[in-house]
């Protein structure tokens, strides 16, 4: 019995040490203490001590361990893991890791998450939102843009230029606004809730493009020439990366430049002949300066010994001879300026390279570093803004629209899709806020940017479909009063651009995340192939033994957290959110363990097992989305009235995570899924999707004017103005709710149960009966006008449905 108790004690001590991730030396000392106790109890004898010392001493003597253990392991490692190409290395090394690395490591530090600063707007940024952004929203008639002009009106273009909308990222010393990433996000959310054309037009110059690249890599001459002109709207920029043969695989662009000598402004200079064929380029039809990505070759070795210099970025004025722009694509009736650009052997000096000749061949690094920032702001913010507006507009419509003698929002079938819209609106706003907080802290989060681009555009598309289902014919019939139809049409565009979502999920999120976020893998890869520094073996030894301890810890953590349903793990709060933190501790450990096992069993083939890597990426992604939601709840003062929104968002994210984990175990390599399922789900899958009761609470918030509803739609364009059907409907919602007791009063006085329609007639009867004041009569009459405007759909003379032929070209309107 004593021996059994001692064995149990040793297992518990070592398990606890692994759970706590102590150092190898600390674990060895603790094991020696237990061994000493066993010696005292006459359980451990000399042979046991010899075995212990034979194992423990070599592991703790670094020189012996490196040469006897790590050196052979390094040879095996080189055979399993192929050396990274220069392109892969640049992509992996670009950007930084942030909170996602904590989630990947199996033991999230929740205090660290909640200590990140609360995102705030400066006084200037708030004034910009309340002033110019509000005003340009008033100016835009979306039906005119999408059906009549096929473009923003000339006065809107000029207003955007005059008020610095294209200069939010440009530093003040060049005349720009130099706004935070958070402020840019809030601006784009507000614009996107009204018009995808407006949001896209503003978003692109403030994302990946000439302005961003010039500020980071441009020569002083380039910066001083272009940045003030971009800030004033004297230049309209675009950036041409995508080619017909290279979409998501941007590194395979066929566009090229040849280093050669040529004539420029009457003199012979060293330059490049550029040939390109680009498509899907936003603002290309109206751009005055073209950022161009191409592969630069130097066959005559005019710059050095290297012939293939690699991807390069240059700035090309579009009025140059040979530069072709102006034609437009027609992306699903979304009328933002988007089109192709072509050039054939267009000669330009080497000084046109962004950063000058020294940056020849550095374009890929430039792109991947900057793309992580722009991808983290523009499309996620546009998606969040669209869903926030759709959430409140759908709530208002469901409260106003009646069927079966009650508001349709009270029907359980309607509550389900409404809850998805409302819960996602809360989550998506939280995610954009956390992501831009990281960017404002100086991070360039390439993995997070891929996560938010994929998941927020995907959730946006699904929410718009839900909103269309609820609105029915109101959403289908286009016209000035339809605030959903064009967004529904445009949703696939966001899914497609900046890396198709299918490939973003299956290749990019985990492809970068597994290496960048893992605490040891990148160090192992770099040290294993390090033949120059003399530190390769020592660094590999430190990384590989750290990795072994990491795997051991995550196995113990996964086992313990599975057996206890994570109920004893740490959580920063003891309220209704406690279990969410604990469940995320469990899934974080699962992710870390499964990642290592997948890499160990598949090696370099993991990147080709896209469905495995996609599901691993899902685990990391949903952990990030859920943690952003909890961070928002904390930052907003833990408003208990918002708990239904928090609970729905987190429970939905974790349920999706569990489903991906379940699928992963079903398909795990080498048949290990069954054994791992016993470790991770010893009592079956623990989580359920959000309940019907929770759906009801979220739907009620969306339909009821209250502070929670205000926070859900914070920052959007709700003004009751001529062209803002959503703002008009918001006023109608208030009028309808105020009219309901008046309607009941008239019914009671008349002794009849009048239908809740023709409220003007109800008003007249109430006035005749003497039970309504003049103000109450006016309210009912106004409510009836708004009600009919909300539930009616637009109709047209057949001639009106033919798009207006505008004599002025798009370029002239934009000039």
């Amino acid at each position: 019995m004593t021996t059994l108790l001692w064995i149990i004690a040793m297992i518990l001590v070592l398990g606890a040490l692994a759970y706590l991730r102590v150092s190898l030396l600390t674990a060895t000392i603790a094991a020696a203490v237990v061994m000493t106790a066993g010696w005292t109890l006459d359980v451990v004898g000399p042979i046991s001590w010899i075995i212990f010392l034979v194992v423990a001493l070599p592991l703790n003597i670094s020189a012996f361990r490196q040469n006897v253990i790590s050196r052979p392991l390094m040879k095996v490692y080189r055979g399993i893991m192929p050396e990274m190409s220069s392109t892969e290395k640049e992509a992996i090394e670009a950007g930084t890791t942030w909170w996602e690395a904590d989630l990947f490591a199996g033991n999230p530090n929740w205090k660290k998450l909640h200590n990140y600063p609360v995102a705030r707007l400066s006084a200037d940024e708030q004034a910009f939102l309340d002033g110019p952004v509000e005003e340009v929203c008033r100016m835009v008639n979306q039906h005119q843009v999408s059906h009549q002009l096929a473009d923003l009106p000339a006065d809107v273009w000029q207003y955007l230029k005059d008020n610095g909308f294209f200069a939010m990222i440009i530093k003040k010393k060049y005349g720009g606004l130099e706004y935070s990433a958070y402020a840019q996000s809030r601006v784009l959310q507000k614009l996107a809730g009204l018009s995808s054309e407006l949001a896209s037009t503003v978003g692109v110059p403030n994302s990946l493009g000439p302005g961003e690249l010039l500020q980071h890599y441009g020569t002083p001459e380039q910066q001083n020439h272009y940045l003030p002109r971009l800030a004033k709207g004297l230049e309209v920029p675009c950036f041409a990366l995508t080619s017909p043969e290279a979409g998501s695989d941007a590194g395979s662009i066929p566009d090229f430049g040849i280093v050669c000598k040529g004539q420029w402004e009457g003199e012979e200079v060293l330059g490049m002949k550029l040939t390109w064929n680009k498509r899907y380029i936003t603002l290309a039809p109206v751009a005055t300066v073209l950022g161009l990505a191409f592969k630069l070759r130097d066959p005559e070795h005019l710059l050095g010994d290297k012939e293939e210099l690699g991807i390069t970025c240059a700035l090309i004025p579009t009025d140059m001879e040979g530069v072709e722009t102006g034609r437009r694509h027609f992306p699903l009736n979304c009328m933002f300026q988007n089109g192709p650009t072509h050039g054939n052997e267009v000669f330009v000096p080497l000084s046109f390279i962004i950063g000058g000749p020294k940056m020849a061949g550095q374009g890929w690094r430039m792109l991947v570093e900057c793309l992580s920032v722009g991808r983290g702001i523009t499309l996620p913010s546009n998606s969040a803004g669209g869903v926030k507006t759709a959430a409140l507009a759908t709530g208002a419509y469901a409260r106003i629209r009646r069927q079966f003698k009650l508001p349709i929002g009270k029907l359980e079938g309607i509550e389900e899709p409404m809850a998805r819209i409302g819960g996602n609106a809360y989550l998506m706003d939280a995610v954009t806020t956390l992501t831009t907080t990281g960017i404002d802290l100086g991070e360039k989060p390439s993995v997070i940017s891929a996560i938010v681009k994929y998941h927020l555009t995907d959730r946006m598309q699904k929410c718009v479909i839900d909103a269309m289902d609820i609105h029915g014919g109101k959403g289908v019939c286009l016209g000035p009063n339809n605030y959903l139809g064009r967004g529904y049409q445009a949703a696939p565009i966001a899914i497609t651009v900046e890396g198709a979502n299918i490939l973003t999920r299956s290749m990019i999120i985990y492809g970068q995340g597994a290496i960048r976020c893992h605490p040891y893998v990148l160090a192992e890869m770099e040290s294993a192939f390090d033949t120059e520094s003399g530190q390769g073996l020592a660094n590999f030894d430190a990384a590989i033994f750290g990795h072994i301890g990491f795997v051991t810890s995550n196995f113990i953590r996964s086992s313990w957290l599975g057996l206890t349903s994570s109920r004893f793990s740490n959580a920063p709060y003891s309220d209704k959110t406690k279990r969410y933190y604990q469940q995320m501790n469990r899934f974080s450990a699962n992710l870390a363990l499964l990642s290592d096992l997948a890499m160990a069993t598949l090696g370099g083939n993991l990147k080709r097992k896209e469905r495995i890597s996609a599901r691993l990426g899902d685990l990391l992604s949903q952990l990030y989305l859920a943690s952003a939601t909890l961070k928002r709840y904390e930052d907003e003062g833990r408003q208990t009235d918002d708990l239904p929104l928090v609970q729905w968002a987190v429970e939905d994210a974790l349920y999706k995570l569990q489903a991906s984990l379940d699928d992963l175990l079903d398909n795990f390599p080498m048949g290990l899924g069954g054994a791992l399922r016993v470790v991770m789900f010893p009592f079956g899958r623990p989580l359920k999707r959000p309940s019907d009761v929770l759906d009801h609470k979220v739907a009620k918030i969306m339909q009821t004017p209250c502070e929670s509803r205000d926070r859900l739609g914070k920052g959007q364009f709700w003004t009751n103005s001529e062209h803002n059907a959503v703002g008009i409907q918001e006023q109608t919602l208030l009028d309808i709710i105020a009219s309901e007791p008046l309607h009941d009063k008239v019914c009671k006085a008349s002794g009849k149960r009048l239908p809740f329609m023709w409220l003007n007639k109800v008003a007249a009867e109430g006035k005749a009966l003497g039970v309504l004041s003049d103000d109450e009569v006016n309210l009912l009459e106004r409510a009836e006008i708004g009600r009919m405007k909300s539930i009616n759909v637009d109709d047209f003379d057949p001639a009106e449905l033919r798009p207006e032929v505008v004599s002025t070209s798009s370029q002239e309107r934009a000039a």
Side-chain angles (χ1 to χ4, degrees), residues 87 90 239-241 249-256 278 292-297 306 308-314 353 359-368:
T87 300
E90 287 178 355
F239 191 82
L241 174 61
D249 184 13
S252 297
I253 55 175
D255 315 283
F256 63 93
K278 303 287 191 179
L292 183 67
F294 55 93
K295 288 184 176 176
L296 186 60
R297 303 168 188 162
K306 196 172 180 181
E308 298 290 336
L309 299 179
I311 294 177
T312 302
C313 297
I353 295 173
M359 295 302 289
Q362 299 299 308
W364 183 243
R365 177 172 65 86
M366 293 161 61
L367 291 173
V368 292

Side-chain angles (χ1 to χ4, degrees), residues 257-318:
I258 304 294
V259 178
C260 60
K261 292 181 179 180
Q263 291 294 315
W264 182 258
E265 295 181 346
E267 297 182 8
E268 185 179 70
V269 299
L270 191 59
M272 311 169 285
K273 281 187 178 179
L274 304 177
T275 298
W276 71 90
N277 175 26
K278 303 287 191 179
R279 64 179 181 183
Y280 304 145
I281 310 306
T282 299
L283 295 186
V286 297
T288 61
V289 58
L290 171 70
L292 183 67
F294 55 93
K295 288 184 176 176
L296 186 60
R297 303 168 188 162
D298 185 13
E300 298 181 31
H301 301 285
L302 297 174
L303 296 179
D305 296 333
K306 196 172 180 181
E307 186 168 324
E308 298 290 336
L309 299 179
I311 294 177
T312 302
C313 297
L315 291 179
I316 314 297
T318 58

Side-chain angles (χ1 to χ4, degrees), residues 695-750:
D695 283 356
H696 171 75
K697 292 178 179 179
V698 173
K700 185 176 180 181
I701 289 172
M702 294 168 65
Q703 299 173 74
T704 308
C706 60
E707 291 183 0
S708 289
R709 188 175 187 272
D710 291 343
R711 284 188 287 270
L712 188 62
K714 183 179 179 182
Q716 298 306 104
F717 181 54
W718 304 118
T719 303
N720 181 359
S721 58
E722 180 183 1
H723 304 304
N724 187 17
V726 171
I728 294 169
Q729 186 169 262
E730 280 294 293
Q731 180 58 54
T732 300
L733 172 66
L734 299 176
D735 290 344
I736 288 293
I737 291 174
S739 295
E740 288 175 345
L742 303 181
H743 175 268
D744 292 341
K745 185 191 295 187
V746 176
C747 290
K748 184 177 180 180
S750 65

Side-chain angles (χ1 to χ4, degrees), residues 629-706:
T629 303
L630 294 170
K631 167 69 169 164
R632 174 181 179 177
Y633 183 58
E634 166 71 11
D635 288 350
E636 293 183 348
R638 309 189 72 78
Q639 303 288 337
T640 55
D641 288 346
D642 295 354
L643 262 176
L645 297 165
V646 178
Q647 292 173 302
W648 194 99
V650 176
E651 289 178 19
D652 177 71
L654 295 185
Y655 184 78
K656 286 182 169 68
L657 184 157
Q658 180 180 258
S660 290
L661 176 53
D662 194 43
D663 289 342
L664 177 60
L665 295 176
D666 282 343
N667 296 278
F668 206 79
M670 297 179 64
L672 293 174
L676 290 169
R677 187 180 297 279
V678 173
V679 172
M680 296 175 182
F681 293 148
F683 306 112
R685 294 185 299 176
L687 303 182
K688 297 179 180 179
R689 66 175 74 248
S691 68
D692 294 351
V693 172
L694 202 51
D695 283 356
H696 171 75
K697 292 178 179 179
V698 173
K700 185 176 180 181
I701 289 172
M702 294 168 65
Q703 299 173 74
T704 308
C706 60

